């Protein structure tokens, strides 16, 4: 970075650019730099110290990722998010992950709208060897979710993961459809889903905040999945989301294959941001 | 409202009948915030600000316009010029079959765009399109393209899981042998630093020589849009850009970053999931959106 020296305005500007390049918002970047300025107290600091303070400041904005525990039998996970974020692929990876842990998993083809959506989840279900509940294309997504829960319960399975169609959070009628799906699911049990995960594409810019706000208004978000971090994007746009709603990042997608899913580690992520 | 914000700045610098270093700089600080919050790349923003600064200082303030209004006009016009000035579709002329190759990151909207563009060109230019399924990686990608083709009455050439380069060549032959004057190749999403997959695209391009190569990008892409577009362009020399999911509320600053770094024209925008949701790209509309 900059060796050893005082935190001049030029240094601050260079650091700010590095933060912006990671899709960290101007507001969060200022917050980080303000905290660092206070700690530096005008003294000379070296780059190692600077990075450590920046990492600490950033880490404090993100809730710690909880240890996963099943909250019911079946433990129901609802995957939501905008179009193309990586929901269906993440379900394949998650099903594989839980199965490898010795849990029994079922997936539900809740995207009854998009061309090839059911076929795509079916391919994943076959590959991972888990049960799948699906209706025909164009069927009511809420009824797929409802039937899937009944089936998972009847078969005494551990995990049910429900796929939903991609939808933009500013589309009122699509958000209503999601609200209805949750309402219908809750006819089985008011606490459902046990876990609602918002899937966000790691390349997303500041719109991530709007996505979080929009979806959280429909169903309380329990965690985030940030995908495509095997690319060059750093995913910094989710930090304000974590901070504002207190939502932890639970999973990170790092590729298109079965194993390309890692449990989020806040320290490792923050280190990666500033290297 | 941007013009209100800028008016506020100029009110504080009273009696200004000309744009000076001071009032322009303060305005540009405000513009920087606007552009960055709209996801315009920070380097692109810096270059733009410097370019505008030169144009603005000393710019005549017409008696009917306030300095703030002049500034807004300079910024607006510079952005529109940067985005290509005016809307312009490609000509799609040349000896048939006219070939279009879709490329881009995972999930950007390529497959959907294949259907949209085929429908658009059949409707507006009486083309007889063929879709070619070169994505052999994504589960049910071929199913997806076939379903789209079926719903539009547009044939899809596929060989199931095979070699995308071979599939493109055979797709081209099939088009010629069956009277299709337009071929659109769908390809798998890929990372710009995935050398093997970028090589695959190079080989497809070498083999069928598509006249149009569209880089399909998501309107909500953040800072990395610059690096992704630059690499795709440096390696594959695309001829145009399609910006998708513009029916969302992302401001779409990625458009500016992509156009600025590659110089390639943004041709279309995707405005929904249905096959008719494709519009020609209008620079001035995009600028209003970016400026919020
Ligand atoms: N490189 C990379 N690609 C990913 C990752 N996760 C998903 N993808 C790819 O992103 C594309 C979209 O993934 P999908 O799972 O279809 O996304 P989706 O959210 O279900 O999309 P819709 O249902 O259409 O809204 C596919 O090509 C996936 O292979 C990831 O972590 N890394
Ligand atoms: N709202 C909206 N959704 C779109 C638009 N274009 C594509 N989509 C949706 O975005 C998602 C991804 O589209 P695809 O066409 O599968 O994207 P892709 O680039 O082919 O994805 P990969 O092949 O996995 O790289 C799907 O849910 C589409 O319906 C658009 O302009 N607006
Ligand atoms: Mg999906
Ligand atoms: Mg595709």
């Amino acid at each position: 970075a900059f060796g050893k020296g005082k935190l001049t305005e030029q240094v601050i500007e260079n650091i700010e650019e590095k933060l912006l390049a990671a899709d960290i918002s101007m507001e969060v970047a200022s917050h980080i730099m303000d905290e660092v300025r206070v700690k530096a107290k005008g003294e000379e600091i070296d780059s190692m110290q600077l990075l450590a303070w920046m990492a600490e400041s950033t880490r404090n904005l993100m809730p710690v990722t909880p240890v996963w525990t099943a909250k019911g039998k079946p433990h129901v996970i609802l995957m939501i998010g905008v179009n193309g974020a990586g929901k269906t692929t993440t379900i394949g990876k998650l099903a594989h992950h839980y199965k490898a842990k010795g849990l029994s998993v079922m997936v539900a083809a809740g995207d009854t709208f998009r061309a090839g959506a059911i076929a795509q989840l079916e391919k994943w279900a076959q590959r991972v060897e888990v049960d799948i509940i699906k209706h025909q294309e164009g069927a009511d997504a809420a009824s797929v979710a409802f039937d899937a829960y009944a089936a998972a319960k009847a078969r005494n399975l551990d995990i049910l993961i429900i796929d939903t169609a991609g939808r933009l959070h500013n589309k009122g009628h699509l958000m209503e459809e999601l609200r209805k799906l949750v309402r219908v699911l809750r006819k089985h049990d008011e606490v459902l889903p046990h876990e609602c995960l918002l899937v966000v594409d790691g390349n997303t810019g500041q719109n991530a905040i709007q996505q979080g706000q929009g979806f959280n208004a429909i169903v309380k978000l329990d965690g985030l999945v940030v995908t495509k971090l095997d690319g060059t994007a750093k995913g910094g746009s989710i930090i304000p989301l974590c901070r504002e709603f207190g939502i932890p990042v639970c999973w990170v997608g790092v590729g298109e294959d079965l194993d390309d899913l890692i449990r989020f580690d806040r320290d490792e992520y923050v280190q990666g941001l500033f290297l | 409202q941007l013009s209100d914000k800028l008016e506020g700045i100029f009110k504080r610098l009273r009696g200004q009948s000309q744009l000076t270093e001071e009032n322009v700089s303060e305005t540009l600080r405000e513009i920087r915030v606007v552009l960055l919050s709209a996801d315009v790349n920070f380097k692109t923003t810096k270059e733009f600000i410097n370019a505008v600064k030169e144009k603005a200082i000393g710019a005549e303030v017409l008696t009917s316009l306030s300095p703030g209004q002049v500034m807004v006009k300079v910024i607006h016009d510079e952005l529109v010029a940067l985005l290509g000035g005016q809307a312009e579709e490609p000509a799609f002329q040349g000896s048939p079959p006219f070939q279009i190759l879709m490329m881009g990151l995972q999930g950007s909207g390529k497959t959907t765009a294949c259907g949209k563009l085929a429908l658009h060109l059949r409707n507006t230019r009486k083309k007889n399109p063929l879709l070619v399924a070169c994505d052999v990686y994504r589960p049910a990608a071929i199913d997806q393209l076939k379903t789209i083709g079926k719903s539009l009455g547009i044939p899809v050439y596929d060989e199931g899981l095979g070699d995308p380069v071979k599939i493109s060549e055979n797709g081209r032959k099939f088009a010629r042998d069956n009277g299709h004057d337009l071929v659109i190749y769908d390809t798998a999403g890929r990372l710009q630093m995935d050398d093997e997959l970028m090589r695959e695209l190079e080989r497809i391009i070498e083999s069928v020589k598509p006249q149009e190569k569209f880089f399909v990008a998501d309107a909500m892409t953040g800072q990395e849009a610059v690096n992704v577009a630059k690499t795709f362009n440096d390696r594959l020399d695309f001829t145009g850009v399609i910006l998708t999911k513009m029916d969302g509320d992302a401001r779409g600053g990625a458009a500016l970053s992509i156009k600025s770094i590659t110089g390639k024209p943004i041709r279309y925008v995707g405005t929904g999931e249905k096959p008719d949701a494709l519009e020609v790209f209008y620079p001035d509309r995009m600028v209003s959106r970016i400026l919020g």
Side-chain angles (χ1 to χ4, degrees):
Chain A
F2 80 114
K4 190 173 169 67
K6 285 203 172 191
L7 219 57
T8 63
E9 282 316 306
Q10 186 53 56
V11 171
I12 298 255
E13 195 182 306
N14 294 343
I15 298 167
E16 193 207 25
E17 292 195 334
K18 199 157 160 63
L19 295 175
L20 292 177
D23 281 316
I24 287 177
S25 65
M26 279 176 288
E27 199 228 339
V28 171
S30 311
H31 169 90
I32 294 169
M33 293 323 296
D34 287 346
E35 291 206 335
V36 168
R37 251 200 222 95
V38 165
K39 290 205 174 97
K41 305 199 234 301
E43 303 288 317
E44 276 209 348
I45 58 175
D46 66 26
S47 59
M48 290 311 298
Q49 181 61 80
L50 174 63
L51 291 175
W53 279 336
M54 285 168 66
E56 182 183 357
S57 171
T58 309
R59 200 171 44 237
N60 291 340
L61 297 174
M62 309 178 76
V64 75
T65 302
V67 171
W68 185 83
T69 52
K71 302 251 163 45
K73 190 160 169 105
H75 172 89
V76 179
I77 303 171
L78 182 68
M79 302 290 277
I80 62 181
V82 302
N83 307 74
K87 300 175 290 300
T88 307
T89 305
T90 302
I91 292 174
K93 297 172 183 177
L94 272 178
H96 173 69
H97 166 85
Y98 287 119
K99 216 170 164 235
K101 283 218 158 111
L103 300 172
S104 54
V105 183
M106 168 184 277
V107 299
D111 180 354
T112 55
F113 168 74
R114 205 207 69 210
I118 298 171
Q120 183 185 7
L121 187 64
E122 265 188 300
K123 290 244 154 58
W124 277 108
Q126 284 161 14
R127 187 164 170 212
V128 180
E129 293 180 353
V130 295
D131 290 350
I132 175 170
I133 294 294
K134 58 182 174 110
H135 290 1
Q136 74 282 11
E137 203 170 288
D140 175 31
S143 66
V144 176
F146 188 87
D147 293 354
Y149 182 83
K153 191 101 185 132
R155 295 176 211 185
N156 205 27
L157 302 179
D158 297 311
I159 312 249
L160 167 64
I161 314 176
I162 303 174
D163 194 9
T164 62
R167 72 200 67 225
L168 296 179
H169 49 282
N170 57 320
K171 299 250 165 115
H173 62 293
L174 295 183
M175 296 309 272
E176 263 317 301
E177 180 192 88
L178 180 61
R179 198 193 295 271
K180 174 183 157 205
L181 186 150
V182 174
R183 194 171 58 236
V184 166
L185 192 60
R186 284 180 181 161
K187 289 185 180 166
H188 283 298
D189 183 343
E190 270 306 314
V191 308
L192 300 179
H194 300 105
E195 191 176 358
C196 181
L197 298 177
L198 177 68
V199 181
V200 181
D201 186 325
N203 291 290
T204 311
Q206 298 312 303
N207 197 248
I209 297 131
Q210 274 80 23
Q211 291 176 23
Q213 279 172 346
F215 282 95
N216 197 51
I218 301 295
V219 44
K220 176 174 160 301
L221 303 178
D222 297 298
L224 301 178
V225 179
V226 184
T227 60
K228 309 177 197 173
L229 287 191
D230 45 319
T232 48
K234 299 270 174 127
S237 61
I238 53 100
I239 295 173
L241 249 185
C242 297
R243 177 192 195 194
E244 188 150 341
F245 299 106
I247 309 169
V249 179
C250 292
W251 300 100
V252 171
V254 290
E256 303 189 70
D257 221 338
L258 278 186
D259 300 312
D260 295 330
L261 187 72
I262 50 180
R263 190 73 181 166
F264 186 70
D265 180 306
R266 197 175 52 164
D267 292 340
E268 269 185 35
Y269 173 73
V270 168
Q271 301 286 2
L273 272 183
F274 301 129
L275 258 49
Chain B
Q1 210 9 327
L2 180 65
S3 44
D4 298 335
K5 279 201 196 118
L6 299 194
E7 285 302 338
I9 292 173
F10 281 92
K11 276 205 166 58
R12 285 200 297 284
L13 310 164
R14 287 198 160 286
Q16 312 261 333
S17 62
Q18 195 179 10
L19 295 175
T20 64
E21 175 87 43
E22 183 193 4
N23 61 29
V24 166
S25 293
E26 181 155 354
T27 308
L28 292 181
R29 265 195 293 280
E30 190 64 39
I31 293 300
R32 179 175 180 268
V33 171
V34 170
L35 295 179
L36 288 176
S37 67
D39 288 324
V40 180
N41 181 271
F42 75 93
K43 285 204 197 99
T44 308
T45 300
K46 213 175 199 170
E47 290 165 11
F48 176 76
I49 300 285
N50 291 335
V52 167
K53 196 172 197 180
E54 291 199 8
K55 281 236 160 70
I57 292 176
E60 280 297 324
V61 177
L62 304 175
T63 46
S64 59
L65 294 177
S66 67
Q69 286 172 327
V70 172
M71 241 359 245
V72 172
K73 178 143 176 40
V74 169
I75 290 160
H76 187 271
D77 293 352
E78 277 306 297
L79 286 174
V80 170
L82 227 177
L83 283 180
Q86 56 191 23
E88 192 182 349
E89 275 193 79
F92 297 113
Q93 307 275 22
S95 58
F98 193 94
Q99 305 174 90
I100 301 172
L101 177 71
M102 299 292 205
M103 63 177 77
L105 292 178
Q106 291 88 347
S108 62
K110 299 174 291 300
T111 306
T112 307
C114 287
K116 290 178 178 180
L117 199 55
L119 181 67
H120 172 68
L121 294 176
R122 185 176 68 188
N123 289 346
T124 60
R125 304 191 198 214
K126 309 278 177 287
K127 298 282 189 196
N128 178 15
L130 173 77
L131 303 177
V132 178
C134 298
D135 180 356
V136 303
Y137 307 104
R138 169 172 155 156
I142 300 173
D143 289 67
Q144 183 185 7
L145 193 66
K146 280 179 149 170
T147 301
I148 290 172
K150 189 154 183 276
S151 69
L152 299 175
I154 295 175
V156 177
Y157 178 85
D158 87 281
E159 295 179 7
L161 305 182
D163 169 13
V165 183
K166 284 268 167 288
I167 296 170
S168 70
E169 289 170 1
N170 295 337
R172 182 168 194 264
K173 283 201 197 82
F174 183 91
R176 274 208 319 267
D177 300 345
N178 291 279
H180 294 287
D181 55 0
L182 175 73
V183 187
I184 303 182
Y185 302 95
D186 185 24
T187 66
R190 66 204 62 213
L191 300 177
Q192 81 275 15
M193 349 79 74
D194 185 329
D195 190 58
E196 199 181 313
L197 283 183
M198 292 300 273
R199 269 298 300 147
E200 175 188 280
L201 272 181
E202 285 171 349
R203 285 172 30 236
I204 292 176
I205 290 168
E206 263 173 70
S207 105
V208 298
K209 302 193 178 37
Q211 290 93 326
E212 285 287 342
K213 294 171 273 188
F214 286 132
F215 176 62
V216 180
D218 194 324
M220 66 181 92
T221 311
Q223 295 285 311
E224 215 44 37
V226 151
N227 298 326
V228 177
K230 180 167 192 325
T231 303
F232 267 87
N233 193 43
D234 287 349
R235 284 193 74 153
L236 307 168
D237 192 23
F238 53 78
T239 57
V241 180
I242 299 179
L243 205 59
T244 63
K245 308 177 203 172
M246 284 281 284
D247 45 322
D249 57 8
R251 301 251 296 279
L256 210 68
S257 314
I258 293 169
K259 179 72 171 73
S260 163
I261 198 90
T262 64
K264 298 296 168 70
I266 302 174
R267 297 299 200 178
Y268 300 99
V269 294
T271 57
E273 294 193 74
K274 302 237 172 75
D276 58 359
L278 186 78
E279 292 176 15
V280 171
F281 173 77
Y282 286 95
D284 54 352
R285 286 185 207 168
M286 190 76 211
V287 169
S288 307
R289 179 183 179 123
I290 289 174
L291 293 180

